[in-house]
Amino acid sequence: RPLIQLHNEVFRCLRSGGTWEHITPVYPAKEVWQDPTHVTVWTDVSAMYFSSFDPVLLSSYGITCRFTLKSQTHVYGGTHLHVVMEKP
């Protein structure tokens, strides 16, 4: 679960009020699969799993971070998702 571990670690390292931005290919764009290193597909709702979603469900996945989702927008003609998260 590298993606979950990454989010948990970034959350742990950030100070309260710190932000984390990332850009990732988003389904259904072909860029999601064309790079052989991509092991997780993101959709428009993927970021919510790392924010204040359902704590019981998230804990069962090993997700301990609780980011506040500040924004998410489609970039690069809609093929990628720019996500901004904040540690409360």
Side-chain angles (χ1 to χ4, degrees):
R1 301 180 183 187
L3 185 64
I4 292 172
Q5 293 170 341
L6 173 65
H7 279 77
N8 287 342
E9 184 66 6
V10 169
F11 187 83
R12 186 189 71 77
C13 293
L14 279 176
R15 293 181 183 163
S16 182
T19 59
W20 181 39
E21 295 185 46
H22 58 88
I23 297 174
T24 185
V26 65
Y27 181 84
K30 69 178 185 293
E31 287 81 0
V32 168
W33 295 115
Q34 80 183 30
D35 185 330
T37 65
H38 293 169
V39 294
T40 303
V41 174
W42 275 69
T43 69
D44 289 338
V45 296
S46 296
M48 77 176 184
Y49 282 88
F50 301 101
S51 62
S52 301
F53 188 51
D54 178 352
V56 175
L57 175 65
L58 299 184
S59 293
S60 70
Y61 294 153
I63 299 171
T64 58
C65 60
R66 297 294 183 269
F67 285 102
T68 300
L69 183 59
K70 300 302 281 184
S71 68
Q72 84 175 12
T73 53
H74 287 267
V75 294
Y76 305 131
T79 62
H80 290 69
L81 197 61
H82 176 222
V83 178
V84 180
M85 302 171 135
E86 181 180 272
K87 182 174 182 175

